[in-house]
């Protein structure tokens, strides 16, 4: 996957497949990535120029996809957390909170408004995810120190990101984690943490980067590949 940066700082990620097609084909995918197929005569620069020109179109398409996903999600009486589905049970109660325990997601509310119930549910996921991210962060940092590596002080933010699972601003000591990762297994979330931490030592996605990443997290591909299919 590659990323083009727009003049206003926004980014579009794309995945290029070389195929014997006549023209260049573009498709906005569910995961916020543009799938590009082009024949070998089309240069990367041509593709990226086109993406920049049509940026508004793609960003709007991603917004639409997300809106649709949110609407579908709203009516689903299920919460997906760490790769598991939790049935949602609404309990009439004025606490106005949702909690996820071992077996289910319980929503305590007096309201019957589906939007509002979905909001409480989402909040329950985010609350647990934030705690988990703190744990994973400590785990990764501890492991790096054991390997003789010293990660710089790092601020972790959890954000709903459109086109990436994580990002590392190595100059500022800031790692962003996509809140949508909460739906995936713990090891997958961990693979994103390792990926972003690895950028402190390798800023690009070169072979050296991946070699380093596999040294610090040998199961990287096994756990990270599930994100590619989404
Ligand atoms: Zn990266």
């Amino acid at each position: 996957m590659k990323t083009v940066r727009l003049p206003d700082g926004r980014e579009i990620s794309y995945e290029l497949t070389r195929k014997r097609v006549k023209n260049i084909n573009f498709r906005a995918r569910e995961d916020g990535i543009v799938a590009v197929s082009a024949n070998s005569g089309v240069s990367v620069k041509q593709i990226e120029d086109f993406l920049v020109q049509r940026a508004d179109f793609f960003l709007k398409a991603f917004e639409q996809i997300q809106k649709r996903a949110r609407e579908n999600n709203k009516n689903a009486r299920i919460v997906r957390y760490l790769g598991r589905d939790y049935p949602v049970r609404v309990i009439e109660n004025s606490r106005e909170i949702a909690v996820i325990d071992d077996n289910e997601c319980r929503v305590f509310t007096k309201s019957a408004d589906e939007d509002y119930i979905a909001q409480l549910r989402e909040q329950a996921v985010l609350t647990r995810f934030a705690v988990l991210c703190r744990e994973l962060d400590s785990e990764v940092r501890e492991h790096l120190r054991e390997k003789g590596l010293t990660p710089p002080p790092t601020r972790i933010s959890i954000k709903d990101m459109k086109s990436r699972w994580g990002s590392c601003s190595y100059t500022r000591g800031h790692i962003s984690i996509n809140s949508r990762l909460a739906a995936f297994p713990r090891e997958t979330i961990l693979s994103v943490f390792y990926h972003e931490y690895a950028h402190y030592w390798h800023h690009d996605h070169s072979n050296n980067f991946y070699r380093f990443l596999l040294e610090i997290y040998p199961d990287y591909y096994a756990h990270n590949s599930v994100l590619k299919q989404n």
Side-chain angles (χ1 to χ4, degrees):
M1 195 188 73
K2 285 184 170 180
T3 301
V4 274
R5 191 182 278 270
L6 306 175
D8 62 6
R10 288 179 303 174
E11 290 176 339
I12 291 185
S13 296
Y14 70 96
E15 212 162 68
L16 172 62
T17 315
R18 291 292 183 186
K19 271 188 199 161
R20 288 178 157 224
V21 286
K22 235 188 206 161
N23 305 305
I24 319 176
N25 295 327
F26 294 86
R27 186 170 57 87
R29 271 184 357 204
E30 299 267 324
D31 59 357
I33 294 169
V34 181
V36 183
S37 42
N39 67 48
S40 52
V42 182
S43 72
V44 167
K45 187 177 178 312
Q46 278 173 302
I47 290 166
E48 295 196 346
D49 284 350
F50 184 86
L51 284 170
V52 171
Q53 271 169 32
R54 301 290 310 271
D56 282 335
F57 169 81
F58 288 115
L59 293 170
K60 215 169 267 166
F62 288 138
E63 244 166 61
Q64 285 294 324
I65 289 171
Q66 281 218 326
K67 209 175 128 197
R68 229 179 305 141
R70 266 201 304 276
E71 272 158 15
N72 288 339
N73 212 7
K74 215 171 62 189
N75 302 319
R77 277 291 173 97
I78 232 155
V79 163
R80 194 162 180 80
Y81 181 64
L82 300 191
R84 251 189 74 186
D85 285 333
Y86 293 80
V88 176
R89 187 152 63 99
V90 180
I91 300 157
E92 207 184 315
N93 184 296
S94 57
R95 284 173 62 197
E96 306 305 326
I97 196 173
V99 288
I100 300 170
D101 64 20
D102 289 343
N103 302 306
E104 60 183 3
C105 172
R106 282 173 296 156
V107 184
F108 299 93
T109 181
K110 287 255 181 209
S111 169
D113 178 41
E114 288 293 337
D115 272 347
Y116 176 69
I117 290 171
Q119 240 176 35
L120 291 178
R121 253 168 32 199
E122 238 164 76
Q123 197 50 53
V125 170
L126 281 179
T127 304
R128 281 201 48 173
F129 187 60
V131 174
L132 176 76
C133 282
R134 277 201 295 279
E135 281 171 25
L136 296 182
D137 184 52
S138 310
E139 189 179 319
V140 172
R141 296 180 68 85
E142 181 67 39
H143 181 220
L144 289 171
R145 279 193 292 268
E146 278 166 19
K147 293 222 158 224
L149 299 157
T150 311
T154 300
R155 187 165 61 86
I156 305 287
S157 319
I158 297 165
K159 290 196 277 195
D160 186 7
M161 289 187 276
K162 284 213 174 71
S163 62
R164 11 183 20 191
W165 294 110
S167 69
C168 174
S169 168
Y170 40 84
T171 48
R172 283 182 291 152
H174 181 202
I175 286 176
S176 298
I177 297 291
N178 195 329
S179 55
R180 288 189 285 149
L181 281 169
F184 292 91
R186 188 182 189 279
E187 289 73 21
T188 300
I189 305 165
L190 200 54
S191 75
V192 175
F193 269 91
Y194 275 106
H195 179 119
E196 300 314 330
Y197 264 104
H199 278 310
Y200 279 125
W201 288 274
H202 297 273
H203 299 167
D204 52 13
H205 291 119
S206 61
N207 290 340
N208 285 338
F209 167 83
Y210 283 106
R211 208 169 297 137
F212 177 81
L213 181 51
L214 289 176
E215 258 168 50
I216 57 174
Y217 193 58
D219 293 334
Y220 180 75
Y221 287 115
H223 297 306
N224 195 265
S225 58
V226 298
L227 296 176
K228 304 270 147 64
Q229 295 148 15
N230 271 272

